[in-house]
């Protein structure tokens, strides 16, 4: 399996070098297409998606892939072993204001469901390009230097952090959620939220810990973030780094998926913060 993951990582590295160039030089305007939730796709979303899909299509170990930007699963090799769900350019609307964005990949076996994830990867495109990989009990970070991804460090979360990244529109938060976030700030946490899931979660991981939340809200009771493309890959990374990832009460990697575009409320963090969320949410609904 180690070797298979290396083959998939090599493909992701190759796609990422092309996506970096696209971000630097590509057209940031809107296309005329909409994705499955009705968001107008940017030309960059579509172009990144094509790059990744074409690179995966050359790998015979990949059975299927599915992108956040597409309606359905793409069959690659019926005898392949791995299923890959990916978000080609998460937070792409931040490119035109020159904030960081990222690609997210979940590698599954058998079926696309949280409990079948065996590795996950994200690539953050910021002032530097970094790739973080969770596999085989470790989270490793690589940086693109002179055209190649080079190992930089292992990532481990502390028991408790200092950063708080609370997602969605505050007006739509439920009262217990608002109270919890207010209490977290009142205890000294700093606000760190760019609106890009990849850089926001990357910052919490690298600065030792904290909490990222995208809760159930009055306008989006099932949250906004997608299980297969965004939530499960990060849940796997946070758990492997020694932290936690829950929907309020339950481990995210245990929740069922009925449709490839299902969303879920989600909380990622170091253990003390996740315990606090569990305590608050177990008393409220
Ligand atoms: O999935 C899209 C996304 O842009 C994430 O990268 C980000 O965490 C989230 O939406 C931000 O949503 P909001 O603006 O509602 O907090």
């Amino acid at each position: 399996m180690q070797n298979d993951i290396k083959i998939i990582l090599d493909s992701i590295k190759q796609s990422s070098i092309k996506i970096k160039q696209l971000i630097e030089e590509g057209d940031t305007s809107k296309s005329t297409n909409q994705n499955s939730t009705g968001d107008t796709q940017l030309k960059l979303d579509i172009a990144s998606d094509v790059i990744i899909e074409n690179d995966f299509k050359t790998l015979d170990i990949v059975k299927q892939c599915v992108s956040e930007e597409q309606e359905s699963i793409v069959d690659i090799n019926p005898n392949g072993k791995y299923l890959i769900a990916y978000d080609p350019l998460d937070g792409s609307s931040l490119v035109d204001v020159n904030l960081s964005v990222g690609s997210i990949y979940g590698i599954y076996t058998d079926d696309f469901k949280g409990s079948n994830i065996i590795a996950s990867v994200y690539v953050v495109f910021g002032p530097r390009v970094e790739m973080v990989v969770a596999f085989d009990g470790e989270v490793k970070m690589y940086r693109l230097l002179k055209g190649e991804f080079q190992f930089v460090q292992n990532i481990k979360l502390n028991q408790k952090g200092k950063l708080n990244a609370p997602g969605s529109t505050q007006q739509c938060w439920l009262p217990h959620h608002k109270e919890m976030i207010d209490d977290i700030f009142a205890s000294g946490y700093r606000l760190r939220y760019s609106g890009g899931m990849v850089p926001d979660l990357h910052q919490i991981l690298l600065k030792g810990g904290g909490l990222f939340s995208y809760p159930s809200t009055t306008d989006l009771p099932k949250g906004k973030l997608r299980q297969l493309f965004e939530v499960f890959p990060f849940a796997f990374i946070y758990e492997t780094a020694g932290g936690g990832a829950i929907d309020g009460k339950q481990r995210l990697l245990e929740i069922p998926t009925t449709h490839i575009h299902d969303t879920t409320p989600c909380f990622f963090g170091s253990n003390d913060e996740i315990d606090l969320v569990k305590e608050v949410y177990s008393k409220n609904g």
Side-chain angles (χ1 to χ4, degrees):
M1 187 182 289
Q2 196 94 31
N3 205 39
D4 291 350
I5 296 300
K6 187 181 170 308
I7 293 170
I8 294 170
L9 285 182
D10 284 345
S11 173
I12 293 175
K13 289 176 187 170
Q14 195 182 310
S15 304
S16 303
I17 291 171
K18 294 180 231 173
I19 293 172
K20 168 183 153 55
Q21 193 178 355
L22 194 70
I23 293 170
E24 286 167 1
E25 298 166 17
D27 179 352
T28 60
S29 66
K30 291 183 175 164
S31 72
T32 49
N33 299 359
Q34 292 193 332
N35 69 14
S36 69
T37 34
D39 305 323
T40 302
Q41 291 172 310
L42 298 184
K43 290 181 184 162
L44 280 180
D45 291 319
I46 299 170
S48 312
D49 190 27
V50 170
I51 289 173
I52 294 170
E53 185 184 316
N54 286 342
D55 284 341
F56 283 150
K57 276 184 171 161
T58 66
L59 307 182
D60 58 9
I61 56 170
V62 178
K63 185 175 180 187
Q64 296 176 319
C65 69
V66 61
S67 160
E68 201 201 59
E69 299 302 333
Q70 294 186 34
E71 283 302 322
S72 44
I73 294 173
V74 175
D75 291 316
I76 297 182
N77 175 7
N79 301 317
K81 189 167 165 194
Y82 302 99
L83 312 171
I84 306 178
Y86 63 95
D87 183 350
L89 204 58
D90 186 78
S92 53
S93 64
L94 299 173
V95 172
D96 63 0
V97 290
N98 207 12
L99 284 176
S100 300
V101 294
S103 308
I104 313 168
Y105 304 82
I107 301 158
Y108 301 80
T109 52
D110 304 318
D111 293 303
F112 284 109
K113 65 176 192 186
S115 54
N116 289 343
I117 196 163
I118 53 137
S120 61
V121 181
Y122 69 82
V123 179
V124 57
F125 299 94
R128 292 162 161 181
V129 178
E130 290 175 338
M131 176 174 80
V132 172
V133 181
F135 176 62
D136 210 13
E138 288 186 305
V139 181
K140 292 181 182 288
M141 182 173 109
Y142 303 81
R143 185 173 298 141
L144 187 62
L145 292 166
K146 300 193 178 112
E148 282 189 19
F149 281 91
Q150 296 183 20
F151 175 73
V152 179
Q153 66 178 85
N154 277 70
I155 299 180
K156 213 61 203 146
L157 281 160
N158 296 335
Q159 179 65 21
K160 179 177 169 16
K162 296 187 181 128
L163 306 182
N164 190 19
S168 112
T169 314
Q170 299 194 19
Q171 195 186 27
C172 301
W173 288 353
L174 300 174
H176 62 276
H177 184 76
K178 181 173 172 13
E179 201 179 315
M180 179 182 81
I181 297 293
D182 287 347
D183 288 348
I184 292 174
F185 282 128
S187 70
Y189 281 73
R190 284 167 173 271
L191 172 66
R192 290 290 181 269
Y193 194 76
S194 73
M197 182 183 195
V198 177
D200 287 339
L201 281 163
H202 188 56
Q203 178 164 208
I204 292 174
L205 276 173
L206 288 181
K207 304 265 186 200
L211 181 68
F212 174 99
S213 46
Y214 207 106
S216 165
T217 53
T218 51
D219 58 339
L220 294 170
K222 294 199 167 154
K224 173 183 184 188
L225 302 177
R226 318 248 181 134
Q227 295 179 1
L228 293 180
F229 316 104
E230 297 169 308
V231 172
F232 295 156
F234 271 110
F236 191 74
I237 289 171
Y238 267 64
E239 287 193 356
T240 309
I246 59 171
D247 68 354
K249 293 176 181 166
Q250 201 183 350
R251 263 183 85 218
L252 287 164
L253 292 176
E254 285 170 4
I255 64 174
T257 298
T258 52
H259 184 274
I260 55 171
H261 286 286
D262 279 354
T263 60
T264 177
C266 53
F267 300 83
F268 305 89
S270 26
N271 287 319
D272 280 10
E273 289 82 352
I274 292 297
D275 287 346
L276 172 72
V277 175
K278 269 189 210 153
E279 194 188 312
V280 170
Y281 272 74
S282 63
K283 291 187 212 136
N284 293 278

